[in-house]
Structure formats: C-alpha cells, structure tokens
Amino acid sequence: MSDAPALPDGYEFSADTARVDVDRVHRWLSTDAYWAVDRPRDTHERAMESSINFGVYESTAGEQVAYARVVTDRALFAWLADVYVDPSVRGKGVGTAFVGRIRDHLRPYGLRRLVLATDDAHGVYAKLGFRPLERPEQWMAHVFE
C-alpha cells in the first residue's frame, strides 16, 4: 500500500532501468544539476549500474520527465541520489509524488534509513517524512580529491 501522493494524470512511475533514457538523464544531470555538472557519461553509466533506477514517464508518449537512483544494500541502508525533474513539469506535483513512490518501493526491504543530501529541496522531502539528521555530528565523509 502506498501513502505517497498520486502522480498527476498522464504520468507513470517505473523502476525499470531499461526504460531510462540514459542520454536525456545524463544531459539533465551534467548540464543542469548543481551536484553533477560536467559529470562524465561513463561515470554516470557506472553509477546507474550500481543503483536501483527510477523514472517518471508521460503515459501516452512515454517520454521521461524525472529520474532518480538509489544506492542500497537492500537490507539496512539506502542513499537517494540524482533526483531530477524536468523543468517543464516542475510545480505539478511530479517530484513529490515521485520521491514518495521511490520511498514506498523501498519499504519491503525493511531498511532502517533512507538518506539524501540537498541544497534546495528540503520542503519537498519534509512532506514525505524526511528530516534533518538527529545527530549530524556522528556522520562523517571522506572526499576523494
């Protein structure tokens, strides 16, 4: 059962990697996503291979309008990454519904935590139950230079 907001009429959710328009997604991310600008195509493809890939598509034409991927061990932890909604459909509820569907898709794994990082979409994620880390001082990262 899903408690995610419904996608607007005319759009459908998919977790089928074969449906992902890799050219379009790479163009979106490498030219318009602040966290992935100039990401090489081969790097993007390797990231997809190691992830569960999701998309939202126009129901009639099948054109992809949103993308995200999740890196997970499918048991305890997952990282939501590369969430991108085409500018032409922003503001229609596609993004919120999309992330809700991803969250619900992961529920059967019994994960303890689904995390993400964002500079500008805290409100979208908060609607879906995401919140700041309770103890961010416990978290660390190594950045490869």
Side-chain angles (χ1 to χ4, degrees):
M1 184 169 115
S2 173
D3 63 351
L7 280 166
D9 288 342
Y11 297 97
E12 59 189 34
F13 170 86
S14 176
D16 180 0
T17 297
R19 287 188 73 181
V20 174
D21 183 337
V22 180
D23 290 332
R24 175 177 294 209
V25 170
H26 177 256
R27 184 176 62 253
W28 282 339
L29 296 177
S30 67
T31 64
D32 191 42
Y34 64 84
W35 65 90
V37 169
D38 295 329
R39 179 184 290 169
R41 169 74 182 243
D42 66 317
T43 300
H44 175 67
E45 289 177 0
R46 284 196 330 268
M48 284 185 65
E49 289 170 10
S50 300
S51 302
I52 303 172
N53 296 276
F54 300 95
V56 173
Y57 304 85
E58 291 180 344
S59 299
T60 52
E63 185 174 309
Q64 188 166 2
V65 298
Y67 172 78
R69 65 187 183 88
V70 171
V71 181
T72 183
D73 59 13
R74 291 179 167 85
L76 299 170
F77 182 84
W79 177 273
L80 177 61
D82 289 340
V83 179
Y84 187 91
V85 177
D86 188 271
S88 68
V89 299
R90 290 180 190 165
K92 296 181 177 182
V94 170
T96 302
F98 182 38
V99 173
R101 294 291 302 269
I102 292 168
R103 180 203 57 204
D104 292 350
H105 182 90
L106 298 172
R107 240 183 212 136
Y109 295 139
L111 302 170
R112 180 159 186 233
R113 188 171 279 121
L114 171 60
V115 298
L116 59 88
T118 184
D119 278 348
D120 59 359
H122 296 81
V124 170
Y125 296 109
K127 292 178 196 175
L128 298 164
F130 287 84
R131 61 182 188 261
L133 295 173
E134 290 177 23
R135 299 194 55 204
E137 70 276 4
Q138 291 181 331
W139 290 77
M140 297 179 72
H142 175 82
V143 178
F144 291 92
E145 301 291 331

